[in-house]
């Protein structure tokens, strides 16, 4: 995973967006596919550092401005686009800064966050156009990623929750498939991709996995992010039993991924995120109980 220096960012700004080049530039911790800096008071710079990241940035650049106006929470809307040049061979983005602490550092504690999340997803989950991006691992029938679940479950082998996790997954796979039109999805709602202020949800970030499909993928956030789920589904109001079952299956899978990536971080392995492990265990506990 590549790491870039501030000097490169400053040079790119002078080359392509000179009116912003003298703003204060500060490193920001975190980031998976993109490295990020805060630019001045209101902006951020995102530069791709994994092989797949440039394509994800192009999705954000094209589609997030289309959706952002109807979303009730702040999002990192692209305001300038950086194009490949002799200095840097990939696209990069200047976005609006979203204020708050990532939820893997400052978990959501207020129960009224359920209404915030439900309102955001109700606004997002509208029918997507035919040209909306597809995603091979988001918004699809869970049976298509059965092998991925079996592999992910090994991270909690021997844990008392393993049996319940498998049961929830099997019920999710067996539930009737989504019958509605593909809706817009964030696709990657987990603690590092939302921000918190005063214990509640204050913004949603990192839309690179945005796609069209089954809204159950995003509804898994009820278990992944919130201290309790009951108020969320009352507020969302549009999820039938089958959709909730699929969403809970997605929640178990996403929790296992968080635990795995977090454990890698605790062990000092490349790409690991230590703060994700406790977030993953908390999500798993909520999903299986």
């Amino acid at each position: 995973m590549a790491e870039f220096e501030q000097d490169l960012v400053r040079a790119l700004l002078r080359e392509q967006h000179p009116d912003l080049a003298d703003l204060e530039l500060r490193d920001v911790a975190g980031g998976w596919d993109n490295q990020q800096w805060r630019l001045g008071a209101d902006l951020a710079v995102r530069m791709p550092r994994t092989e797949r990241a440039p394509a994800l940035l192009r999705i954000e650049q094209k589609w997030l401005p289309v959706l952002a106006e109807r979303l009730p929470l702040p999002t990192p809307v692209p305001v300038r686009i950086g194009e490949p040049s002799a200095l840097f061979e990939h696209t990069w983005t200047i976005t609006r800064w979203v204020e708050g602490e990532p939820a893997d550092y400052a978990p959501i504690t207020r129960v009224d966050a359920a209404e915030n999340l439900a309102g955001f997803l109700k606004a997002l989950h509208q029918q997507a156009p035919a040209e909306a991006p597809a995603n091979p691992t988001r918004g699809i029938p869970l049976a298509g990623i059965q092998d991925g679940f079996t592999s992910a479950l090994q991270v909690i082998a021997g844990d008392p929750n393993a049996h319940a996790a498998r049961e929830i997954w099997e019920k999710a796979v067996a539930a009737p498939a989504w019958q509605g039109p593909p809706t817009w999805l964030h696709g990657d709602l987990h603690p590092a991709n939302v921000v918190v202020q005063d214990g509640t949800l204050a913004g949603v970030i990192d839309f690179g996995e945005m796609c069209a499909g089954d809204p159950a993928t995003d509804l898994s956030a009820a278990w992944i992010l919130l201290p309790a789920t009951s108020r969320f589904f009352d507020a969302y109001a549009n999820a039938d039993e089958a959709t909730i079952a699929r969403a809970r299956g997605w929640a178990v899978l996403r929790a296992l991924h968080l635990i795995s990536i977090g454990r890698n971080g605790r062990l000092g392995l490349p790409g690991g995120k230590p703060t994700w492990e406790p977030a993953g265990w908390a999500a798993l506990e909520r999903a299986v109980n």
Side-chain angles (χ1 to χ4, degrees):
M1 190 177 291
E3 293 287 336
F4 308 114
E5 300 298 329
Q6 278 196 18
D7 289 348
L8 174 59
V9 181
R10 187 73 71 187
L12 287 168
L13 290 168
R14 290 197 178 103
E15 176 189 60
Q16 299 190 32
H17 302 284
D19 59 314
L20 304 178
D22 292 327
L23 293 175
E24 182 183 8
L25 193 63
R26 287 168 283 169
D27 293 315
V28 176
W32 184 273
D33 290 294
N34 298 282
Q35 190 173 345
Q36 182 168 249
W37 295 261
R38 189 165 182 177
L39 179 64
D42 303 316
L43 300 173
V45 177
R46 284 162 58 78
M47 289 179 58
R49 61 181 178 183
T50 66
E51 184 175 347
R52 71 188 197 127
L56 300 182
L57 276 185
R58 289 295 190 192
I59 290 173
E60 286 187 343
Q61 291 165 357
K62 179 176 181 178
W63 292 109
L64 185 53
V66 175
L67 298 177
E69 288 187 1
R70 75 167 185 241
L71 300 178
L73 289 171
T75 60
V77 180
V79 297
R80 304 281 185 92
I81 294 174
E83 296 295 349
S85 72
L87 288 176
F88 187 68
E89 63 180 333
H90 301 296
T91 187
W92 50 283
T93 307
I94 300 171
T95 73
R96 188 170 64 191
W97 175 257
V98 180
E99 196 68 52
E101 285 293 316
D104 55 326
Y105 287 90
I108 293 170
T109 56
R110 282 170 42 183
V111 294
D112 62 358
E115 284 79 9
N116 290 354
L117 180 61
F120 175 85
L121 290 179
K122 286 174 71 174
L124 176 62
H125 289 169
Q126 305 298 318
Q127 182 172 346
E131 63 271 23
N135 190 308
T137 60
R138 308 288 198 278
I140 62 172
L142 288 168
I145 48 176
Q146 176 67 52
D147 290 346
F149 172 79
T150 302
S151 176
L153 190 62
Q154 297 306 306
V155 76
I156 61 166
D159 186 86
N161 287 321
H163 179 71
R166 181 178 291 279
E167 283 192 338
I168 290 167
W169 175 262
E170 290 174 351
K171 289 178 181 177
V173 171
W178 172 247
Q179 298 299 312
T183 71
W184 277 113
L185 308 177
H186 177 278
D188 204 23
L189 287 172
H190 63 73
N193 286 344
V194 301
V195 296
V196 176
Q197 293 188 64
D198 300 322
T200 196
L201 181 63
V204 179
I205 60 177
D206 200 344
F207 282 74
E209 300 281 6
M210 187 187 337
C211 62
D214 178 2
T217 302
D218 281 355
L219 298 179
S220 64
W223 292 275
I224 297 296
L225 299 176
L226 300 176
T229 62
S230 57
R231 286 177 61 157
F232 170 82
F233 286 105
D234 288 342
Y236 185 80
N238 296 328
D240 58 21
E241 290 186 8
T243 299
I244 294 173
R246 295 193 308 276
R248 197 174 181 189
W250 277 106
V252 168
L253 178 62
R254 304 307 299 280
L256 295 175
H257 287 161
L258 289 169
I259 293 168
S260 178
I261 293 168
R263 185 172 296 173
N264 287 346
R266 177 165 52 84
L267 297 175
L269 299 176
K273 302 285 186 181
T275 57
W276 292 20
E277 187 174 13
W281 280 112
L284 184 65
E285 287 286 339
R286 291 189 291 264
V288 301
N289 292 307

